[in-house]
mmCIF file of all heavy atoms in Angstrom:
data_model
loop_
_atom_site.group_PDB
_atom_site.id
_atom_site.type_symbol
_atom_site.label_atom_id
_atom_site.label_comp_id
_atom_site.label_asym_id
_atom_site.label_seq_id
_atom_site.Cartn_x
_atom_site.Cartn_y
_atom_site.Cartn_z
ATOM 1 N N THR L 57 135.136 136.248 75.452
ATOM 2 C CA THR L 57 135.114 136.341 76.920
ATOM 3 C C THR L 57 136.083 135.364 77.586
ATOM 4 O O THR L 57 136.092 135.251 78.812
ATOM 5 C CB THR L 57 133.688 136.075 77.448
ATOM 6 O OG1 THR L 57 133.284 134.746 77.063
ATOM 7 C CG2 THR L 57 132.696 137.079 76.883
ATOM 8 N N TRP L 58 136.891 134.659 76.800
ATOM 9 C CA TRP L 58 137.831 133.689 77.373
ATOM 10 C C TRP L 58 139.071 134.404 77.908
ATOM 11 O O TRP L 58 139.510 135.413 77.366
ATOM 12 C CB TRP L 58 138.260 132.670 76.321
ATOM 13 C CG TRP L 58 137.214 131.672 75.933
ATOM 14 C CD1 TRP L 58 135.879 131.902 75.768
ATOM 15 C CD2 TRP L 58 137.425 130.286 75.619
ATOM 16 N NE1 TRP L 58 135.251 130.748 75.362
ATOM 17 C CE2 TRP L 58 136.164 129.743 75.272
ATOM 18 C CE3 TRP L 58 138.548 129.469 75.585
ATOM 19 C CZ2 TRP L 58 136.005 128.403 74.899
ATOM 20 C CZ3 TRP L 58 138.396 128.136 75.220
ATOM 21 C CH2 TRP L 58 137.139 127.606 74.899
ATOM 22 N N THR L 59 139.667 133.848 78.941
ATOM 23 C CA THR L 59 140.933 134.360 79.452
ATOM 24 C C THR L 59 142.074 133.789 78.622
ATOM 25 O O THR L 59 141.894 132.804 77.879
ATOM 26 C CB THR L 59 141.142 133.955 80.918
ATOM 27 O OG1 THR L 59 141.280 132.525 80.982
ATOM 28 C CG2 THR L 59 139.979 134.410 81.787
ATOM 29 N N ARG L 60 143.259 134.370 78.761
ATOM 30 C CA ARG L 60 144.438 133.831 78.068
ATOM 31 C C ARG L 60 144.702 132.395 78.510
ATOM 32 O O ARG L 60 145.089 131.543 77.709
ATOM 33 C CB ARG L 60 145.666 134.691 78.360
ATOM 34 C CG ARG L 60 145.671 136.040 77.709
ATOM 35 C CD ARG L 60 146.152 136.023 76.285
ATOM 36 N NE ARG L 60 147.565 135.687 76.162
ATOM 37 C CZ ARG L 60 148.192 135.557 74.996
ATOM 38 N NH1 ARG L 60 147.534 135.727 73.870
ATOM 39 N NH2 ARG L 60 149.466 135.260 74.936
ATOM 40 N N THR L 61 144.497 132.121 79.785
ATOM 41 C CA THR L 61 144.719 130.765 80.302
ATOM 42 C C THR L 61 143.767 129.775 79.649
ATOM 43 O O THR L 61 144.171 128.669 79.266
ATOM 44 C CB THR L 61 144.510 130.743 81.835
ATOM 45 O OG1 THR L 61 145.425 131.656 82.430
ATOM 46 C CG2 THR L 61 144.753 129.346 82.387
ATOM 47 N N GLU L 62 142.518 130.173 79.477
ATOM 48 C CA GLU L 62 141.539 129.292 78.827
ATOM 49 C C GLU L 62 141.871 129.105 77.351
ATOM 50 O O GLU L 62 141.767 127.994 76.810
ATOM 51 C CB GLU L 62 140.134 129.874 78.987
ATOM 52 C CG GLU L 62 139.605 129.812 80.408
ATOM 53 C CD GLU L 62 138.317 130.591 80.591
ATOM 54 O OE1 GLU L 62 138.118 131.610 79.883
ATOM 55 O OE2 GLU L 62 137.514 130.196 81.448
ATOM 56 N N MET L 63 142.299 130.189 76.691
ATOM 57 C CA MET L 63 142.629 130.090 75.266
ATOM 58 C C MET L 63 143.857 129.225 75.020
ATOM 59 O O MET L 63 144.001 128.631 73.956
ATOM 60 C CB MET L 63 142.837 131.488 74.674
ATOM 61 C CG MET L 63 141.549 132.258 74.465
ATOM 62 S SD MET L 63 141.779 133.761 73.486
ATOM 63 C CE MET L 63 142.473 134.858 74.705
ATOM 64 N N ALA L 64 144.734 129.130 76.009
ATOM 65 C CA ALA L 64 145.951 128.331 75.861
ATOM 66 C C ALA L 64 145.630 126.864 75.616
ATOM 67 O O ALA L 64 146.421 126.144 74.990
ATOM 68 C CB ALA L 64 146.828 128.468 77.109
ATOM 69 N N THR L 65 144.466 126.409 76.082
ATOM 70 C CA THR L 65 144.095 125.000 75.907
ATOM 71 C C THR L 65 142.977 124.824 74.884
ATOM 72 O O THR L 65 142.405 123.746 74.759
ATOM 73 C CB THR L 65 143.657 124.387 77.252
ATOM 74 O OG1 THR L 65 142.540 125.137 77.767
ATOM 75 C CG2 THR L 65 144.799 124.423 78.263
ATOM 76 N N ALA L 66 142.650 125.881 74.156
ATOM 77 C CA ALA L 66 141.567 125.820 73.173
ATOM 78 C C ALA L 66 141.913 124.867 72.033
ATOM 79 O O ALA L 66 143.043 124.829 71.557
ATOM 80 C CB ALA L 66 141.290 127.212 72.611
ATOM 81 N N THR L 67 140.935 124.100 71.610
ATOM 82 C CA THR L 67 141.118 123.169 70.500
ATOM 83 C C THR L 67 140.635 123.810 69.196
ATOM 84 O O THR L 67 139.971 124.856 69.206
ATOM 85 C CB THR L 67 140.319 121.882 70.735
ATOM 86 O OG1 THR L 67 138.913 122.212 70.720
ATOM 87 C CG2 THR L 67 140.694 121.246 72.069
ATOM 88 N N ALA L 68 140.941 123.155 68.083
ATOM 89 C CA ALA L 68 140.461 123.645 66.793
ATOM 90 C C ALA L 68 138.934 123.649 66.762
ATOM 91 O O ALA L 68 138.314 124.571 66.212
ATOM 92 C CB ALA L 68 141.020 122.781 65.669
ATOM 93 N N ALA L 69 138.325 122.642 67.366
ATOM 94 C CA ALA L 69 136.857 122.579 67.412
ATOM 95 C C ALA L 69 136.296 123.778 68.162
ATOM 96 O O ALA L 69 135.274 124.360 67.757
ATOM 97 C CB ALA L 69 136.411 121.284 68.076
ATOM 98 N N ASP L 70 136.951 124.182 69.255
ATOM 99 C CA ASP L 70 136.520 125.368 70.002
ATOM 100 C C ASP L 70 136.613 126.617 69.126
ATOM 101 O O ASP L 70 135.691 127.439 69.087
ATOM 102 C CB ASP L 70 137.403 125.577 71.242
ATOM 103 C CG ASP L 70 137.239 124.494 72.293
ATOM 104 O OD1 ASP L 70 136.125 123.953 72.421
ATOM 105 O OD2 ASP L 70 138.240 124.186 72.969
ATOM 106 N N ALA L 71 137.729 126.755 68.447
ATOM 107 C CA ALA L 71 137.989 127.959 67.652
ATOM 108 C C ALA L 71 137.085 128.070 66.426
ATOM 109 O O ALA L 71 136.871 129.169 65.904
ATOM 110 C CB ALA L 71 139.451 127.991 67.224
ATOM 111 N N LEU L 72 136.558 126.937 65.968
ATOM 112 C CA LEU L 72 135.720 126.938 64.766
ATOM 113 C C LEU L 72 134.241 127.188 65.068
ATOM 114 O O LEU L 72 133.420 127.211 64.159
ATOM 115 C CB LEU L 72 135.877 125.605 64.014
ATOM 116 C CG LEU L 72 137.241 125.397 63.338
ATOM 117 C CD1 LEU L 72 137.393 123.973 62.842
ATOM 118 C CD2 LEU L 72 137.434 126.388 62.182
ATOM 119 N N LYS L 73 133.908 127.390 66.341
ATOM 120 C CA LYS L 73 132.513 127.650 66.721
ATOM 121 C C LYS L 73 132.231 129.149 66.692
ATOM 122 O O LYS L 73 132.089 129.795 67.734
ATOM 123 C CB LYS L 73 132.238 127.084 68.121
ATOM 124 C CG LYS L 73 132.293 125.568 68.202
ATOM 125 C CD LYS L 73 132.107 125.092 69.645
ATOM 126 C CE LYS L 73 132.243 123.583 69.754
ATOM 127 N NZ LYS L 73 132.180 123.122 71.170
ATOM 128 N N HIS L 74 132.156 129.712 65.503
ATOM 129 C CA HIS L 74 131.910 131.151 65.407
ATOM 130 C C HIS L 74 130.475 131.458 65.801
ATOM 131 O O HIS L 74 129.551 130.752 65.384
ATOM 132 C CB HIS L 74 132.181 131.664 63.996
ATOM 133 C CG HIS L 74 132.323 133.146 63.933
ATOM 134 N ND1 HIS L 74 131.236 133.998 63.961
ATOM 135 C CD2 HIS L 74 133.413 133.952 63.875
ATOM 136 C CE1 HIS L 74 131.650 135.245 63.911
ATOM 137 N NE2 HIS L 74 132.967 135.252 63.856
ATOM 138 N N PRO L 75 130.257 132.500 66.613
ATOM 139 C CA PRO L 75 128.909 132.776 67.110
ATOM 140 C C PRO L 75 127.931 133.314 66.068
ATOM 141 O O PRO L 75 126.720 133.158 66.213
ATOM 142 C CB PRO L 75 129.151 133.820 68.212
ATOM 143 C CG PRO L 75 130.432 134.493 67.822
ATOM 144 C CD PRO L 75 131.272 133.414 67.190
ATOM 145 N N ASN L 76 128.422 133.965 65.010
ATOM 146 C CA ASN L 76 127.505 134.664 64.096
ATOM 147 C C ASN L 76 127.623 134.289 62.622
ATOM 148 O O ASN L 76 126.626 134.310 61.906
ATOM 149 C CB ASN L 76 127.711 136.179 64.221
ATOM 150 C CG ASN L 76 127.451 136.691 65.618
ATOM 151 O OD1 ASN L 76 126.716 136.087 66.383
ATOM 152 N ND2 ASN L 76 128.080 137.803 65.970
ATOM 153 N N TRP L 77 128.835 133.991 62.174
ATOM 154 C CA TRP L 77 129.059 133.793 60.738
ATOM 155 C C TRP L 77 129.422 132.334 60.426
ATOM 156 O O TRP L 77 130.048 131.666 61.245
ATOM 157 C CB TRP L 77 130.202 134.686 60.235
ATOM 158 C CG TRP L 77 129.947 136.151 60.335
ATOM 159 C CD1 TRP L 77 130.211 136.966 61.394
ATOM 160 C CD2 TRP L 77 129.388 137.005 59.325
ATOM 161 N NE1 TRP L 77 129.848 138.257 61.107
ATOM 162 C CE2 TRP L 77 129.334 138.313 59.843
ATOM 163 C CE3 TRP L 77 128.916 136.775 58.029
ATOM 164 C CZ2 TRP L 77 128.842 139.393 59.117
ATOM 165 C CZ3 TRP L 77 128.424 137.851 57.305
ATOM 166 C CH2 TRP L 77 128.392 139.141 57.845
ATOM 167 N N ARG L 78 129.023 131.893 59.253
ATOM 168 C CA ARG L 78 129.466 130.585 58.754
ATOM 169 C C ARG L 78 130.509 130.853 57.663
ATOM 170 O O ARG L 78 130.186 131.369 56.602
ATOM 171 C CB ARG L 78 128.293 129.787 58.183
ATOM 172 C CG ARG L 78 127.348 129.252 59.259
ATOM 173 C CD ARG L 78 126.338 128.301 58.664
ATOM 174 N NE ARG L 78 125.531 128.959 57.635
ATOM 175 C CZ ARG L 78 124.822 128.309 56.711
ATOM 176 N NH1 ARG L 78 124.850 127.005 56.670
ATOM 177 N NH2 ARG L 78 124.102 128.967 55.820
ATOM 178 N N MET L 79 131.744 130.497 57.944
ATOM 179 C CA MET L 79 132.850 130.813 57.035
ATOM 180 C C MET L 79 133.753 129.589 56.903
ATOM 181 O O MET L 79 133.583 128.582 57.594
ATOM 182 C CB MET L 79 133.649 132.007 57.572
ATOM 183 C CG MET L 79 132.814 133.229 57.861
ATOM 184 S SD MET L 79 133.748 134.574 58.639
ATOM 185 C CE MET L 79 134.023 133.922 60.277
ATOM 186 N N GLY L 80 134.745 129.688 56.039
ATOM 187 C CA GLY L 80 135.721 128.612 55.916
ATOM 188 C C GLY L 80 136.595 128.526 57.163
ATOM 189 O O GLY L 80 136.621 129.449 57.985
ATOM 190 N N GLN L 81 137.324 127.423 57.288
ATOM 191 C CA GLN L 81 138.129 127.195 58.490
ATOM 192 C C GLN L 81 139.161 128.287 58.718
ATOM 193 O O GLN L 81 139.306 128.796 59.832
ATOM 194 C CB GLN L 81 138.827 125.830 58.398
ATOM 195 C CG GLN L 81 137.911 124.648 58.614
ATOM 196 C CD GLN L 81 138.678 123.359 58.803
ATOM 197 O OE1 GLN L 81 139.759 123.171 58.232
ATOM 198 N NE2 GLN L 81 138.128 122.456 59.587
ATOM 199 N N LYS L 82 139.899 128.680 57.687
ATOM 200 C CA LYS L 82 140.964 129.673 57.827
ATOM 201 C C LYS L 82 140.409 131.000 58.352
ATOM 202 O O LYS L 82 140.932 131.573 59.315
ATOM 203 C CB LYS L 82 141.659 129.873 56.476
ATOM 204 C CG LYS L 82 142.548 131.113 56.349
ATOM 205 C CD LYS L 82 143.732 131.092 57.290
ATOM 206 C CE LYS L 82 144.759 132.164 56.918
ATOM 207 N NZ LYS L 82 144.216 133.542 56.840
ATOM 208 N N VAL L 83 139.349 131.489 57.736
ATOM 209 C CA VAL L 83 138.784 132.781 58.142
ATOM 210 C C VAL L 83 138.201 132.691 59.549
ATOM 211 O O VAL L 83 138.294 133.641 60.333
ATOM 212 C CB VAL L 83 137.705 133.244 57.134
ATOM 213 C CG1 VAL L 83 137.094 134.560 57.574
ATOM 214 C CG2 VAL L 83 138.301 133.386 55.744
ATOM 215 N N THR L 84 137.614 131.550 59.883
ATOM 216 C CA THR L 84 137.027 131.387 61.215
ATOM 217 C C THR L 84 138.103 131.402 62.292
ATOM 218 O O THR L 84 137.921 132.013 63.362
ATOM 219 C CB THR L 84 136.216 130.075 61.291
ATOM 220 O OG1 THR L 84 135.229 130.073 60.250
ATOM 221 C CG2 THR L 84 135.506 129.943 62.626
ATOM 222 N N ILE L 85 139.236 130.755 62.037
ATOM 223 C CA ILE L 85 140.344 130.791 63.007
ATOM 224 C C ILE L 85 140.890 132.211 63.095
ATOM 225 O O ILE L 85 141.200 132.708 64.187
ATOM 226 C CB ILE L 85 141.468 129.810 62.623
ATOM 227 C CG1 ILE L 85 140.937 128.375 62.571
ATOM 228 C CG2 ILE L 85 142.630 129.916 63.613
ATOM 229 C CD1 ILE L 85 140.363 127.870 63.873
ATOM 230 N N ASP L 86 141.003 132.898 61.966
ATOM 231 C CA ASP L 86 141.465 134.289 61.979
ATOM 232 C C ASP L 86 140.524 135.178 62.784
ATOM 233 O O ASP L 86 140.956 136.148 63.418
ATOM 234 C CB ASP L 86 141.577 134.834 60.551
ATOM 235 C CG ASP L 86 142.825 134.353 59.837
ATOM 236 O OD1 ASP L 86 143.691 133.740 60.494
ATOM 237 O OD2 ASP L 86 142.934 134.571 58.625
ATOM 238 N N SER L 87 139.245 134.867 62.746
ATOM 239 C CA SER L 87 138.282 135.616 63.548
ATOM 240 C C SER L 87 138.509 135.364 65.031
ATOM 241 O O SER L 87 138.382 136.277 65.857
ATOM 242 C CB SER L 87 136.848 135.219 63.165
ATOM 243 O OG SER L 87 135.905 135.901 63.959
ATOM 244 N N ALA L 88 138.876 134.135 65.373
ATOM 245 C CA ALA L 88 139.116 133.775 66.773
ATOM 246 C C ALA L 88 140.343 134.484 67.339
ATOM 247 O O ALA L 88 140.388 134.841 68.517
ATOM 248 C CB ALA L 88 139.259 132.267 66.906
ATOM 249 N N THR L 89 141.367 134.707 66.499
ATOM 250 C CA THR L 89 142.581 135.388 66.962
ATOM 251 C C THR L 89 142.490 136.911 66.797
ATOM 252 O O THR L 89 143.338 137.640 67.320
ATOM 253 C CB THR L 89 143.816 134.919 66.166
ATOM 254 O OG1 THR L 89 143.634 135.266 64.778
ATOM 255 C CG2 THR L 89 144.035 133.412 66.296
ATOM 256 N N LEU L 90 141.493 137.380 66.049
ATOM 257 C CA LEU L 90 141.331 138.775 65.612
ATOM 258 C C LEU L 90 142.337 139.159 64.532
ATOM 259 O O LEU L 90 142.431 140.338 64.161
ATOM 260 C CB LEU L 90 141.414 139.775 66.775
ATOM 261 C CG LEU L 90 140.201 139.859 67.717
ATOM 262 C CD1 LEU L 90 140.274 141.133 68.555
ATOM 263 C CD2 LEU L 90 138.871 139.809 66.983
ATOM 264 N N MET L 91 143.077 138.178 64.002
ATOM 265 C CA MET L 91 143.971 138.477 62.884
ATOM 266 C C MET L 91 143.165 138.927 61.671
ATOM 267 O O MET L 91 143.625 139.776 60.893
ATOM 268 C CB MET L 91 144.832 137.270 62.531
ATOM 269 C CG MET L 91 145.801 137.504 61.370
ATOM 270 S SD MET L 91 147.050 138.782 61.709
ATOM 271 C CE MET L 91 148.304 137.781 62.546
ATOM 272 N N ASN L 92 141.964 138.351 61.503
ATOM 273 C CA ASN L 92 141.160 138.772 60.360
ATOM 274 C C ASN L 92 140.876 140.269 60.410
ATOM 275 O O ASN L 92 140.882 140.961 59.393
ATOM 276 C CB ASN L 92 139.850 137.981 60.290
ATOM 277 C CG ASN L 92 138.837 138.421 61.339
ATOM 278 O OD1 ASN L 92 139.195 138.585 62.505
ATOM 279 N ND2 ASN L 92 137.590 138.604 60.950
ATOM 280 N N LYS L 93 140.666 140.794 61.621
ATOM 281 C CA LYS L 93 140.397 142.222 61.735
ATOM 282 C C LYS L 93 141.668 143.015 61.460
ATOM 283 O O LYS L 93 141.614 144.110 60.876
ATOM 284 C CB LYS L 93 139.854 142.532 63.131
ATOM 285 C CG LYS L 93 138.898 143.674 63.186
ATOM 286 C CD LYS L 93 137.759 143.596 62.180
ATOM 287 C CE LYS L 93 136.989 142.304 62.162
ATOM 288 N NZ LYS L 93 135.867 142.313 61.197
ATOM 289 N N GLY L 94 142.815 142.474 61.865
ATOM 290 C CA GLY L 94 144.070 143.130 61.559
ATOM 291 C C GLY L 94 144.308 143.208 60.058
ATOM 292 O O GLY L 94 144.728 144.255 59.530
ATOM 293 N N LEU L 95 144.030 142.113 59.361
ATOM 294 C CA LEU L 95 144.192 142.103 57.907
ATOM 295 C C LEU L 95 143.200 143.062 57.256
ATOM 296 O O LEU L 95 143.511 143.711 56.257
ATOM 297 C CB LEU L 95 143.997 140.680 57.364
ATOM 298 C CG LEU L 95 145.015 139.640 57.838
ATOM 299 C CD1 LEU L 95 144.666 138.255 57.291
ATOM 300 C CD2 LEU L 95 146.433 140.013 57.426
ATOM 301 N N GLU L 96 142.008 143.178 57.849
ATOM 302 C CA GLU L 96 141.014 144.107 57.307
ATOM 303 C C GLU L 96 141.441 145.562 57.501
ATOM 304 O O GLU L 96 141.119 146.425 56.683
ATOM 305 C CB GLU L 96 139.654 143.850 57.953
ATOM 306 C CG GLU L 96 138.999 142.575 57.445
ATOM 307 C CD GLU L 96 137.744 142.211 58.219
ATOM 308 O OE1 GLU L 96 137.265 143.044 59.012
ATOM 309 O OE2 GLU L 96 137.243 141.088 58.023
ATOM 310 N N VAL L 97 142.148 145.845 58.586
ATOM 311 C CA VAL L 97 142.692 147.196 58.794
ATOM 312 C C VAL L 97 143.670 147.524 57.662
ATOM 313 O O VAL L 97 143.652 148.630 57.099
ATOM 314 C CB VAL L 97 143.390 147.298 60.171
ATOM 315 C CG1 VAL L 97 144.227 148.580 60.256
ATOM 316 C CG2 VAL L 97 142.362 147.262 61.291
ATOM 317 N N ILE L 98 144.519 146.558 57.327
ATOM 318 C CA ILE L 98 145.487 146.741 56.242
ATOM 319 C C ILE L 98 144.767 146.993 54.921
ATOM 320 O O ILE L 98 145.112 147.894 54.153
ATOM 321 C CB ILE L 98 146.417 145.521 56.133
ATOM 322 C CG1 ILE L 98 147.250 145.382 57.416
ATOM 323 C CG2 ILE L 98 147.319 145.619 54.902
ATOM 324 C CD1 ILE L 98 147.950 144.040 57.556
ATOM 325 N N GLU L 99 143.742 146.185 54.659
ATOM 326 C CA GLU L 99 142.955 146.360 53.437
ATOM 327 C C GLU L 99 142.287 147.731 53.398
ATOM 328 O O GLU L 99 142.290 148.406 52.356
ATOM 329 C CB GLU L 99 141.886 145.275 53.347
ATOM 330 C CG GLU L 99 142.418 143.872 53.121
ATOM 331 C CD GLU L 99 141.289 142.867 53.080
ATOM 332 O OE1 GLU L 99 140.740 142.651 51.976
ATOM 333 O OE2 GLU L 99 140.935 142.313 54.138
ATOM 334 N N ALA L 100 141.701 148.135 54.527
ATOM 335 C CA ALA L 100 140.997 149.416 54.583
ATOM 336 C C ALA L 100 141.945 150.578 54.299
ATOM 337 O O ALA L 100 141.573 151.560 53.651
ATOM 338 C CB ALA L 100 140.342 149.589 55.951
ATOM 339 N N HIS L 101 143.184 150.462 54.795
ATOM 340 C CA HIS L 101 144.197 151.491 54.544
ATOM 341 C C HIS L 101 144.379 151.717 53.048
ATOM 342 O O HIS L 101 144.440 152.869 52.577
ATOM 343 C CB HIS L 101 145.514 151.064 55.186
ATOM 344 C CG HIS L 101 146.708 151.815 54.694
ATOM 345 N ND1 HIS L 101 146.970 153.129 55.032
ATOM 346 C CD2 HIS L 101 147.724 151.422 53.854
ATOM 347 C CE1 HIS L 101 148.084 153.519 54.438
ATOM 348 N NE2 HIS L 101 148.556 152.514 53.717
ATOM 349 N N HIS L 102 144.459 150.621 52.293
ATOM 350 C CA HIS L 102 144.687 150.742 50.849
ATOM 351 C C HIS L 102 143.404 151.083 50.084
ATOM 352 O O HIS L 102 143.438 151.880 49.137
ATOM 353 C CB HIS L 102 145.290 149.445 50.314
ATOM 354 C CG HIS L 102 146.676 149.169 50.808
ATOM 355 N ND1 HIS L 102 147.762 149.931 50.446
ATOM 356 C CD2 HIS L 102 147.153 148.212 51.655
ATOM 357 C CE1 HIS L 102 148.851 149.465 51.039
ATOM 358 N NE2 HIS L 102 148.506 148.436 51.775
ATOM 359 N N LEU L 103 142.288 150.499 50.488
ATOM 360 C CA LEU L 103 141.026 150.737 49.779
ATOM 361 C C LEU L 103 140.566 152.187 49.884
ATOM 362 O O LEU L 103 140.088 152.775 48.905
ATOM 363 C CB LEU L 103 139.930 149.826 50.334
ATOM 364 C CG LEU L 103 139.895 148.382 49.852
ATOM 365 C CD1 LEU L 103 138.924 147.575 50.709
ATOM 366 C CD2 LEU L 103 139.493 148.301 48.379
#
């Protein structure tokens, strides 16, 4: 629900506060950017 302006000042601590899952730092940041979902689309294509 954050705006782009709010995300521009987001800290690592903010990005690591995942609402539902407990994961490693890399995956949690990927969840914050939605890159993890992009990578999952790629995986789903091949699987």
Side-chain angles (χ1 to χ4, degrees):
T57 61
W58 288 39
T59 66
R60 289 277 293 177
T61 301
E62 290 171 329
M63 286 191 282
T65 59
T67 65
D70 293 328
L72 290 170
K73 293 176 183 175
H74 196 282
N76 300 335
W77 296 89
R78 287 189 300 162
M79 306 175 289
Q81 286 192 328
K82 165 64 167 55
V83 178
T84 304
I85 300 300
D86 282 351
S87 178
T89 62
L90 286 196
M91 180 63 86
N92 75 314
K93 211 51 51 178
L95 297 177
E96 286 172 11
V97 167
I98 296 166
E99 292 179 88
H101 164 73
H102 293 292
L103 280 169

